[in-house]
Amino acid sequence: MSNEGGSKICVPVLGESAEQMLVQMDKAKVLGADLVEIRLDYLQSFEPRRDLELLIGRCPLPTVITYRPKWEGGKYEGDDDKRLGALRLAMELGADYVDVEFKVASELINSISQRKPEKCKVIVSSHNFDNTPSSDDIGNLATRMQAVGADIVKIVTTALDITDVLRIFQLTRNSQVPMIGLAMNERGFISRLLCPKFGGYLTYACLEKGQSSALWQPKIDDLLNIFNFRLLGPNSKVAGLIGNPVGHSKAATMFNPIFKTVGFDGVYVPFLVDDVPNFLKSFNSPNFVGWSCTIPHKEEALRSCDELDPIAKSIGAVNTIIRKPDGKFIGYNTDYFGAISAIENKLRDLQNLPDGTGSPLAGKLFVVMGAGGTGKALSYGAKAKGARVVIANRTYSRAKEIADSVGGEALTLAELANYHPEEGTVLANTTSVGMQPNDNESPIPKHSLKRYGLVFDAVYTPKMTRLLRDAEESGVTIVTGVDMLIIQAYEQYERFTNLPAPKELFWEVMSGY
Ligand code: NAP
């Protein structure tokens, strides 16, 4: 069912007292919520008439009254008669919605049949904390929920794999009644972000981290200001990052403000993916334009694409997958260009070289730490620019494999600590060492850094990694992973949107990092 008014944002208020809830409601209104869900089961002491009059009367937004029992994931442990009595009272006192569990919904609905206030809508809800059933089973459940007299059907499942979310999207998009469909946990996170695209009646958002009624509920601020919730609709295109983990990524905070500024009807979201081939098979529809690809999927992505750009093929890793209009997937590698350009730009600045002259990497010694997808891209790129390449990796055999393919030398990371580079050597980290939450780690001891001419780190969370701090303190020029992130994203942006990359805007948006 298309959601004509657009999907709503509902903020649950979870105070232990009515006074705390009043404060939270006001905050929800200021932050831009459409609805407030009053979770009566969170109140330490609850006096139905007094508290409901106060909470419904003083709420600056339409109210959803929920009194969730323990047997459906809430906190209320008393008997159901009292609970349903409170919901009936909430209707009388002017609640805009009441949320009642499917198991007891007919009891509530039958008991109010003639007396239901016209403005009050009954949300009949079902929570599955184990999995996401088949489309047929969810469809049957929705039909049964509708048959008990639901004004709005709410089905919340648990995503064990990101492909489970597609069944939720199918449900909300095709429903004949207003439908709330969400999939819990990190693998279901996109169901909370993309609900306007797939016709969901509402999504829930918390005021602050730690104030959510479910894990992986987004903050309202992120929903509105990172994920462009209000701008999304059925025709919006979806791009994103596939990886595991994906929580550290800054890509959404880079792409989404740019989409908004240039008026591109699309959104970029994180996809926590376990199995790349299965993901691509399932997410193959024109709704999804393409993906950036990160740890640990860059090599699997290479094997999973139908076609490969020649550079990605030579590197042996894919960091960008684009869905072509014929449904085939083509893999590119933009890491190579991003990292090498960021390093070249810095060397050109240092040496006052104008653009358009040959690469300042030609003839230089270039040491790459790490032999994963990014290590391959940098080794390939440095070699293509005429540098002599050394690859150092924890697992020697992987370093050797790349060294053999680019005609370079292989070392272990331990050997690199005592390596004597020649003057002006570039050192590039492509291991994940130093990435949050392990910010205090570095792949190489500080005392080994002072002989290098430039140190680059592909890790960009944090921007100033331990390695870069050590290098700077040793008087060595540095280039950050944020520079790489921005430059490698130009081509991704162009392929996602079919628009020229607004390069200055990229730097402006990322200037705060
Ligand atoms: P990957 O394919 O999984 O490779 C990871 C590499 O890190 C391997 O060489 C691995 O060594 C090494 N490694 C992991 N843990 C280690 C440890 N504890 N000690 C020593 N070595 C360790 O990952 P990737 O996709 O290439 O990404 C690598 C890093 O680059 C990530 O932090 C990613 O965020 C960053 N990155 C940044 C950008 C950007 O735009 N700035 C772009 C791409 C990637 P083994 O072979 O021994 O396992």
Side-chain angles (χ1 to χ4, degrees), residues 267-443:
V267 64
Y268 186 98
V269 296
F271 291 76
L272 181 63
V273 169
D274 301 291
D275 178 338
V276 178
N278 190 35
F279 171 81
L280 290 178
K281 199 170 73 194
S282 309
F283 279 76
N284 188 352
S285 89
N287 293 314
F288 302 96
V289 290
W291 295 276
S292 320
C293 187
T294 189
I295 301 176
H297 294 323
K298 289 183 181 175
E299 292 162 55
E300 184 62 45
L302 180 97
R303 293 187 284 276
S304 308
C305 285
D306 302 299
E307 295 167 27
L308 292 172
D309 174 72
I311 290 180
K313 193 171 179 181
S314 306
I315 292 170
V318 155
N319 81 326
T320 308
I321 301 173
I322 299 298
R323 183 188 181 278
K324 298 201 313 175
D326 63 2
K328 293 226 159 70
F329 291 107
I330 176 162
Y332 297 89
N333 193 309
T334 68
D335 282 339
Y336 145 71
F337 179 73
I340 296 292
S341 302
I343 295 168
E344 284 182 330
N345 290 349
K346 180 62 90 175
L347 290 173
R348 281 204 183 94
D349 279 357
L350 286 175
Q351 297 165 22
N352 264 328
L353 296 173
D355 280 354
T357 49
S359 172
L361 287 172
K364 272 205 185 309
L365 192 59
F366 195 107
V367 178
V368 178
M369 294 186 281
T374 315
K376 282 182 177 170
L378 267 86
S379 303
Y380 170 92
K383 165 80 179 175
K385 298 289 182 174
R388 290 162 295 131
V389 183
V390 174
I391 300 116
N393 194 41
R394 177 176 63 179
T395 309
Y396 176 77
S397 57
R398 294 184 83 192
K400 181 82 173 76
E401 203 180 302
I402 302 179
D404 287 348
S405 80
V406 299
E409 187 187 343
L411 299 173
T412 62
L413 269 184
E415 285 168 335
L416 185 67
N418 300 313
Y419 182 75
H420 287 273
E422 60 191 43
E423 208 185 315
T425 300
V426 173
L427 176 66
N429 176 44
T430 70
T431 74
S432 45
V433 179
M435 188 164 114
Q436 273 165 4
N438 304 313
D439 318 29
N440 221 18
E441 293 176 7
S442 171

Side-chain angles (χ1 to χ4, degrees), residues 34 68 111 120 126 178 194 204 240 250 284-286 360 457 476:
D34 301 301
R68 191 74 77 223
S111 72
C120 185
S126 156
L194 298 180
Y204 295 88
K250 296 243 183 296
N284 188 352
S285 89
D457 200 340
V476 180

Side-chain angles (χ1 to χ4, degrees), residues 165 168-169 181-184 188-195 203:
V165 178
I168 295 295
F169 289 155
L182 298 168
M184 292 184 282
F189 184 54
I190 60 168
S191 70
R192 299 181 181 277
L193 308 178
L194 298 180
C195 112
T203 193

Side-chain angles (χ1 to χ4, degrees), residues 18 37 93 97 130 147 221 225 242 313 328 346 362-363 421 440 443 455 483:
E37 181 187 38
L93 294 175
Y97 304 81
D130 299 321
D221 190 39
N225 297 319
I242 62 174
K313 193 171 179 181
K328 293 226 159 70
K346 180 62 90 175
N440 221 18
V455 171
D483 288 12

